[in-house]
Amino acid sequence: MMRFERSAGIFKAGVLMAIGGPVLGALGAVIAVPNIAALYTGNVNRGGLVIGAIIAAVGLLLAVAGYIMILVAVHRALVKIDALPVRQQQRTGQGSAPSTSGYTY
């Protein structure tokens, strides 16, 4: 079983929510739209409209929360990467030994 670090787990959950949220929102819209049209024809059945609107709103909130989680996870990962020690390489000046490869630069 793969164990995720905190940033990776937040990123994974954020991606899943960012994908699942719009899918859930579209499902809610598919439920609500025919019921909106039924209101104009005189049918007073508002149950499907309310349920569809609630599902669409939950999907929207999931998508927004997912995008925020992705931003938080990327920020945390970049902060950890920036905190890593950097190995310093010694520079050689132009007065150093000539190259043995035969090429001039």
Side-chain angles (χ1 to χ4, degrees):
M1 184 167 129
M2 184 179 263
R3 182 171 179 256
F4 290 104
E5 292 296 324
R6 192 168 178 151
S7 293
I10 291 173
F11 183 78
K12 179 182 173 187
V15 168
L16 290 175
M17 289 172 65
I19 293 171
V23 170
L24 191 63
L27 176 67
V30 166
I31 293 171
V33 167
N35 291 298
I36 291 173
L39 287 176
Y40 290 109
T41 60
N43 189 354
V44 197
N45 183 10
R46 293 191 177 114
L49 176 63
V50 172
I51 290 172
I54 289 172
I55 292 173
V58 168
L60 176 69
L61 291 175
L62 277 176
V64 169
Y67 292 132
I68 291 171
M69 288 175 70
I70 290 172
L71 291 175
V72 168
V74 168
H75 173 73
R76 287 174 54 98
L78 290 176
V79 166
K80 288 179 182 179
I81 289 171
D82 284 343
L84 292 174
V86 178
R87 185 173 52 169
Q88 298 290 331
Q89 295 180 355
Q90 291 187 5
R91 293 185 166 197
T92 58
Q94 290 186 357
S96 63
S99 174
T100 59
S101 65
Y103 295 103
T104 57
Y105 297 99

